[in-house]
Amino acid sequence: MTKGGIMRKKICLNMIIFLFMLLIVSSEVTAPPEPHNVKGRVFHLDSITGVQNEIPVQIKNINTSQETLTYVYAPNIPSLKGAYSATINASDNDLINVTSWNSTYYGHSTAYILPTTTEVDVVLNNLRPSETKATITSPENNSIFNISRITEITAEIEIKGGQNGINCYAMLNISNKNILDISEGESYLHYLGNANIGSILTTEWEVIGINEGVTNISLSSYCDSDGINFDKQDSDYVYDVTLADEIAPIINLTYPEQQDNLSYSQNPISFIYNVTDDSGISNCSLIINESSVKTNYTVEKGISQYFYETLDIGDYAWKVECYDNSTSKIKGSSNTYNFSVLPNLNPIISNLQTDDNIDLNHGSVKLVYCNFTVSDNDGVDDIEEINVTLYHNSVSPENEDDNNNHYTNNSCVIANSAEKSQDYVCSFSMYYYSNPGQWKCNITVNDKSKADDTAETTLNVNELTALYISESVIDYGELKAENVSEDDVNLTITNYGNKDINISLEGYAISEQDGLGMICEQSNISVEYQRYSTQFNQDYNEMVGLTSAAQQIEGFTIPQKTNDLVYEDDQTRVYWKIKIPAGARGNCTGRIKIIAIPN
């Protein structure tokens, strides 16, 4: 029998091995979308009569999910009635969906974007499912209540669409339940039952005031029979409901933060704060080092407010004081934050994220990621150089690259960029023989003034025990009964893991532990007739007999690959011979199971 497996002689012996495939996936980049014109007409159920003006038309790019809402607008001419036109960002051949609706019916059509104007007509030939319109009737936006006087929230739910509402509900939400909440025994979800088209359901929640402050109220509604939500009126909101008392304005400082270090180049420095109060705000003043610097008389509550001031290099303390416009004119003061203005600021590394418990790919490489953020208050243009090293704890970051213990990446990819920070993605192709154990990802960044920062995080690489057998067949050729194969048959084994390994050998003909080494056309060969040795050209009688049970080779090692430039430093050979017992005839085949074992 040849090595390829064609049976030509009396006795042929085969061994099963494993094959691997690598799939490479590529991606294709398309041109960005650009404005395309879409126009058409919207018709009533008869497909002839155009609808009246102000009927909504929604155009959605299926490829990009972008949506454009327009309305029918046409002169009162039968041939033009129902006409609409709009522009949407798309690429040629993008699929679009055009949907239009009136109070009872809706329709939709699809088309592919043309290089010129794309014409799409829509027929309102589908009965709209039920749809709800939610309205909070009390309280109103910016309402002010005494804590003890607010007792209920009321709402109306209108049933719209072309069908009745089945099993309808209203759900209340209060944004700040420390200020206002439902009474004991009350439920946020109210069941409203069934309702006809056009009917209006009313409901109310019993509530209780708890503390002073401002809260928002939201209402959502739905019926089990609802389908597509065309008008998107199923929710309603009431903002800034105040439960008042005589308390001082509450001021929060946003920037600079406590112990911030700012760069002189940031002048004029922004001082950002926000203030809340049961009443309005009369004025707010910026206090630096116990002196009032500026006063703002047009302050909006609840949103960021700004002061701008140019400062010299030095240490500072700042706070904000505000007076409300209540009768008592109560003053509120923020905490005091300390900060410094420096000539230049070091870049800062943060948000380190790495893979962990890494399982390497046997005989191949594994992409391992080390991601992080670099911030520089002098601006991202001040970031000059970034070096990232992935190294085993047995070496240092300064060592030369070695696939066993040290990798370097000086060309990390910028994933996101802002004015003063950038997110980086760094990948390393770790070889299968990279040492197991603890590794570290070390990041060093330098700015243009040579100020730097260093950060480090740990990760673990798991042990990998694997092997590769280059030969697919042990072919002893043609032998006569009671003869011993004259030449050694070489089996080359490569360590495809990251630890020294031994191997165990187990022989069988049909099923494991069947006691046979081979099955022949006439008679069989017992497993012990097949022998092996780690020494070349050893006498058959001195070789080790194969067994049915897995047997480890004594004193045998296939080393982990440790030299990137040397070929076969991780390979070892096992030599095989066989003796043919009397009575065996014809073609013979058997199997040898080889298992890698950590050494």
Side-chain angles (χ1 to χ4, degrees):
M1 175 176 169
T2 65
K3 194 168 184 178
I6 301 176
M7 298 182 180
R8 295 180 178 176
K9 300 182 180 181
K10 289 185 177 181
I11 301 176
C12 298
L13 312 175
N14 301 328
M15 185 186 72
I16 298 175
I17 69 166
F18 303 95
L19 301 178
F20 302 93
M21 298 179 63
L22 178 65
L23 177 64
I24 302 176
V25 182
S26 63
S27 61
E28 180 178 336
V29 178
T30 59
E34 58 183 4
H36 282 70
N37 294 326
V38 179
K39 71 175 185 177
R41 293 180 66 192
V42 181
F43 296 96
H44 284 294
L45 187 62
D46 60 8
S47 302
I48 298 174
T49 308
V51 301
Q52 67 273 21
N53 287 344
E54 304 301 327
I55 292 295
V57 180
Q58 184 182 63
I59 306 171
K60 181 175 182 179
N61 187 327
I62 303 302
N63 296 70
T64 65
S65 298
Q66 181 185 355
E67 297 182 359
T68 296
L69 179 66
T70 187
Y71 296 88
V72 170
Y73 185 78
N76 192 18
I77 301 174
S79 62
L80 298 178
K81 194 172 183 181
Y84 74 92
S85 65
T87 299
I88 188 170
N89 281 340
S91 301
D92 292 350
N93 297 318
D94 276 1
L95 181 64
I96 60 171
N97 183 42
V98 181
T99 303
S100 183
W101 64 93
N102 59 19
S103 61
T104 308
Y105 287 89
Y106 75 97
H108 62 84
S109 298
T110 58
Y112 290 96
I113 288 291
L114 300 175
T116 57
T117 298
T118 305
E119 296 191 9
V120 187
D121 292 340
V122 179
V123 178
L124 304 185
N125 54 4
N126 296 298
L127 187 65
R128 280 179 59 177
S130 63
E131 186 174 328
T132 60
K133 177 183 178 182
T135 304
I136 299 174
T137 54
S138 177
E140 299 178 348
N141 285 328
N142 301 307
S143 299
I144 300 176
F145 294 88
N146 186 284
I147 292 176
S148 61
R149 295 296 178 88
I150 183 167
T151 59
E152 64 181 21
I153 296 173
T154 61
E156 293 180 349
I157 309 299
E158 180 182 355
I159 306 302
K160 305 179 66 177
Q163 303 180 47
N164 295 333
I166 306 300
N167 292 330
C168 300
Y169 298 85
M171 171 68 82
L172 179 72
N173 183 60
I174 300 172
S175 65
N176 192 339
K177 297 179 177 61
N178 293 323
I179 304 298
L180 179 69
D181 203 357
I182 58 176
S183 301
E184 184 177 356
E186 180 63 272
S187 173
Y188 292 105
L189 181 66
H190 281 190
Y191 177 66
L192 307 179
N194 302 332
N196 296 328
I197 302 172
S199 61
I200 296 177
L201 308 173
T202 61
T203 188
E204 63 182 40
W205 288 263
E206 292 184 1
V207 295
I208 182 171
I210 301 172
N211 287 312
E212 302 162 331
V214 180
T215 187
N216 301 322
I217 300 171
S218 62
L219 174 69
S220 59
S221 61
Y222 66 94
C223 299
D224 289 344
S225 54
D226 291 354
I228 304 174
N229 191 332
F230 290 99
D231 294 332
K232 295 180 174 56
Q233 296 176 328
D234 55 336
S235 299
D236 195 23
Y237 304 88
V238 171
Y239 298 100
D240 296 334
V241 177
T242 300
L243 276 65
D245 202 348
E246 293 187 351
I247 60 173
I250 300 173
I251 306 160
N252 294 307
L253 304 184
T254 305
Y255 184 85
E257 296 182 7
Q258 176 73 300
Q259 303 300 336
D260 257 357
N261 290 321
L262 309 182
S263 172
Y264 181 78
S265 63
Q266 291 179 245
N267 274 312
I269 294 171
S270 301
F271 293 87
I272 307 174
Y273 68 99
N274 64 71
V275 57
T276 58
D277 190 77
D278 295 338
S279 305
I281 300 298
S282 175
N283 62 79
C284 290
S285 297
L286 172 64
I287 311 298
I288 298 179
N289 292 346
E290 300 301 327
S291 296
S292 178
V293 176
K294 288 184 177 177
T295 299
N296 183 5
Y297 293 93
T298 56
V299 179
E300 294 187 57
K301 298 185 303 180
I303 64 173
S304 294
Q305 304 293 297
Y306 296 82
F307 288 110
Y308 300 95
E309 186 69 13
T310 299
L311 298 175
D312 293 329
I313 294 171
D315 298 326
Y316 298 91
W318 78 289
K319 66 179 179 179
V320 172
E321 295 179 347
C322 297
Y323 289 86
D324 65 21
N325 57 11
S326 66
T327 303
S328 302
K329 297 293 182 184
I330 302 172
K331 183 180 81 170
S333 295
S334 70
N335 293 329
T336 299
Y337 281 0
N338 299 305
F339 69 97
S340 299
V341 178
L342 306 176
N344 182 72
L345 296 177
N346 289 1
I348 298 174
I349 301 168
S350 62
N351 300 328
L352 275 71
Q353 296 179 345
T354 62
D355 298 327
D356 198 8
N357 292 321
I358 297 166
D359 292 319
L360 300 175
N361 295 327
H362 55 275
S364 182
V365 296
K366 170 91 172 196
L367 276 181
V368 176
Y369 291 92
C370 181
N371 304 332
F372 53 92
T373 300
V374 176
S375 303
D376 193 327
N377 281 333
D378 299 320
V380 295
D381 291 339
D382 192 42
I383 301 172
E384 186 171 65
E385 182 181 23
I386 293 178
N387 295 315
V388 183
T389 303
L390 186 65
Y391 68 98
H392 191 262
N393 64 357
S394 61
V395 299
S396 65
E398 295 77 20
N399 280 48
E400 293 184 359
D401 277 354
D402 184 312
N403 290 338
N404 287 101
N405 53 41
H406 195 284
Y407 297 84
T408 302
N409 188 341
N410 294 323
S411 56
C412 298
V413 176
I414 299 174
N416 295 293
S417 184
E419 181 182 359
K420 296 182 180 181
S421 67
Q422 287 180 329
D423 297 330
Y424 290 86
V425 175
C426 286
S427 62
F428 300 87
S429 296
M430 293 190 74
Y431 280 81
Y432 64 92
Y433 51 92
S434 298
N435 290 340
Q438 187 181 83
W439 287 64
K440 294 181 180 180
C441 178
N442 179 280
I443 302 106
T444 301
V445 56
N446 296 277
D447 67 12
K448 292 178 180 178
S449 64
K450 303 307 177 185
D452 62 15
D453 189 25
T454 299
E456 201 167 68
T457 187
T458 60
L459 59 152
N460 290 282
V461 174
N462 297 326
E463 291 187 2
L464 174 62
T465 303
L467 57 77
Y468 171 72
I469 303 172
S470 58
E471 293 78 11
S472 61
V473 175
I474 296 179
D475 188 352
Y476 292 108
E478 181 179 309
L479 296 172
K480 294 181 178 179
E482 300 186 358
N483 281 2
V484 175
S485 56
E486 182 176 349
D487 297 324
D488 284 346
V489 179
N490 170 31
L491 194 64
T492 302
I493 303 174
T494 304
N495 188 337
Y496 264 15
N498 61 4
K499 296 281 290 183
D500 292 350
I501 61 171
N502 197 336
I503 60 171
S504 67
L505 301 172
E506 173 189 342
Y508 62 95
I510 300 174
S511 59
E512 293 187 30
Q513 299 185 356
D514 60 10
L516 300 176
M518 296 189 181
I519 184 170
C520 304
E521 294 177 1
Q522 179 177 333
S523 189
N524 297 318
I525 300 174
S526 297
V527 65
E528 67 271 11
Y529 279 86
Q530 200 166 186
R531 298 189 177 186
Y532 61 88
S533 175
T534 59
Q535 299 180 23
F536 177 69
N537 206 24
Q538 191 171 23
D539 185 82
Y540 175 80
N541 294 323
E542 298 177 355
M543 300 174 77
V544 179
L546 189 62
T547 59
S548 294
Q551 181 68 41
Q552 186 172 331
I553 300 178
E554 184 176 352
F556 181 70
T557 298
I558 307 176
Q560 171 196 7
K561 186 173 181 63
T562 57
N563 192 325
D564 300 335
L565 304 178
V566 176
Y567 178 64
E568 295 185 346
D569 69 324
D570 54 351
Q571 292 183 354
T572 305
R573 294 174 176 81
V574 179
Y575 304 96
W576 295 82
K577 285 187 173 73
I578 192 170
K579 181 178 180 179
I580 307 303
R585 296 288 188 275
N587 293 318
C588 300
T589 59
R591 294 172 173 82
I592 299 174
K593 184 177 181 180
I594 303 176
I595 299 176
I597 302 173
N599 207 355

